[in-house]
């Protein structure tokens, strides 16, 4: 018997029955109504998984991402008031928002990152909780702004997630979001953009549809352009894809493969000391990356002229009355 077409987790309409892509035990489907691409099956990993996979990012303050900068520079953002950042990492955005005049609170699944934010960045109100746990423990706490940068693509159930967000938003409160733009210029697979890390692939239409359907008015929407660094990365990626095709089986496990593994096995791979050969490959990769820059200089005017898109899709929206 043929299985029924999967149902879109954002708008509940049936998707096309044919998978767009398969990876490991997962299949990617496209919604015919809102255009969201989503993987099946979807089950979000636990906190330990994120600590394992994103370890190394939980003990430093990373530079601000484009989504953070778009919000801080957005003339339609309130510029003050109580702000909750979901998935705040080590607190780079929260520290900048605090300096810009917001009273900041954050939640972060990775307990090491949450501790770093509290103890080293001086952000006392960062809690190692999921948004559901935060809402349960602080049922009366309401914020004028709720932000979640690079979080929505990880969700198994985006509508439930958005309901949690709304439950801690004041009336006419605003949300600010960034997600990877599915329509970005890619020359090969983006290894981070696979399950169980990411389950949802958004574009402008799918994102604004979700927000409008659930009571939000769109204030700003911005698609990053493919800049010089993105161009260099894409030249590098096309070279890498070519190289691993010509040496099938020899390339070291990519992050995309590691995150498919059982946690113990992934831990062993991530913590294994690199072999001499792997170190030589790392050095080659670095050299290749340097070589990409002059190439990017030559190609970028063409990329810019064609209007190729970069990674970030940013949106600011207000809860309607
Ligand atoms: Zn849909």
């Amino acid at each position: 018997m043929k299985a029924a077409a999967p149902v879109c987790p954002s708008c509940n309409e049936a998707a096309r029955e044919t998978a767009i892509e398969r990876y490991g035990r997962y299949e990617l489907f496209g919604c015919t109504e809102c255009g969201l691409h989503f993987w099946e099956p979807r089950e979000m990993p636990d906190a330990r998984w994120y600590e394992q996979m994103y370890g190394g990012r939980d003990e430093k303050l990373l530079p601000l991402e484009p989504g953070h900068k778009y919000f801080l520079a957005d003339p339609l953002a309130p510029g003050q008031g109580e702000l909750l950042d979901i998935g705040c990492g080590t607190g780079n955005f929260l520290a900048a928002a605090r300096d810009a005049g917001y009273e900041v609170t954050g939640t972060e699944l990775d307990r090491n990152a949450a501790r770093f934010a509290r103890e080293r960045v001086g952000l006392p109100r960062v809690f190692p909780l999921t948004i559901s746990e935060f809402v349960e423990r602080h049922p009366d706490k309401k914020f004028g702004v709720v932000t979640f940068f690079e979080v929505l693509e990880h969700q198994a159930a985006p509508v439930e997630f958005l309901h949690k967000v709304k439950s801690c938003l004041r009336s006419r409160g605003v949300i600010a979001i960034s997600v990877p733009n599915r329509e970005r210029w890619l020359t090969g697979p983006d290894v981070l953009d696979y399950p169980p890390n990411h389950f949802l692939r958004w574009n402008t239409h799918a994102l604004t549809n979700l927000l409008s359907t659930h009571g939000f008015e769109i204030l700003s929407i911005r698609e990053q352009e493919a800049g010089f660094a993105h161009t260099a990365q894409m030249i590098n990626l096309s070279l890498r894809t070519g190289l691993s095709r010509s040496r099938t089986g020899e390339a070291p496990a990519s992050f995309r493969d590691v995150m498919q593994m059982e946690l113990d096995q992934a831990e062993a791979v991530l913590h294994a000391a690199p072999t001499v050969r792997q170190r030589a490959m790392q050095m080659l990769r670095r050299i290749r990356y340097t070589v990409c820059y002059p190439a990017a200089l030559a190609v970028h005017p063409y990329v810019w002229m064609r209007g190729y898109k970069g990674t970030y899709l940013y949106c600011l929206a207000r809860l309607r009355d």
Side-chain angles (χ1 to χ4, degrees), residues 50-110:
Y50 292 100
E51 283 165 13
Q52 180 69 61
M53 297 299 165
Y54 284 89
R57 285 173 55 162
D58 58 12
E59 285 181 346
K60 57 185 170 206
L61 204 58
L62 295 165
L64 289 182
E65 292 180 20
H68 302 146
K69 292 180 186 169
Y70 294 166
F71 171 76
L72 292 169
D74 193 331
L76 297 175
Q80 58 177 349
E82 284 196 271
L83 177 150
L84 171 67
D85 187 35
I86 302 168
C88 68
T90 50
N92 53 350
F93 166 69
L94 278 184
R98 176 192 58 194
D99 297 345
Y102 292 97
E103 295 166 54
V104 299
T105 302
T107 64
E108 171 53 47
L109 275 181
D110 183 326

Side-chain angles (χ1 to χ4, degrees), residues 7-14 30-36 38 206 209:
V7 169
C8 172
S10 176
C11 75
N12 253 341
E13 290 295 323
C31 175
T32 51
E33 186 63 31
C34 77
L36 179 71
F38 57 95
N209 185 75

Side-chain angles (χ1 to χ4, degrees), residues 260-321:
Q260 306 288 317
M261 296 172 183
E262 291 297 322
L263 208 50
D264 293 342
Q265 195 190 353
E267 194 165 356
V269 172
L270 290 170
H271 291 160
T275 63
V276 173
R277 190 177 167 283
Q278 280 170 338
R279 277 204 297 271
M281 288 293 285
Q282 268 170 14
M283 195 177 286
L284 267 176
R285 275 200 293 273
R286 248 176 252 138
I287 292 168
R288 199 182 61 218
Y289 199 66
T290 317
V291 171
C292 288
Y293 273 86
L297 256 178
V299 173
H300 186 246
Y302 171 78
V303 169
W304 180 78
M305 218 167 60
R306 295 294 301 265
Y308 285 0
K309 291 167 188 175
T311 303
Y312 290 84
L313 170 58
Y314 160 82
C315 183
L316 183 77
R318 177 167 44 214
L319 194 58
R320 283 193 295 259
D321 293 327

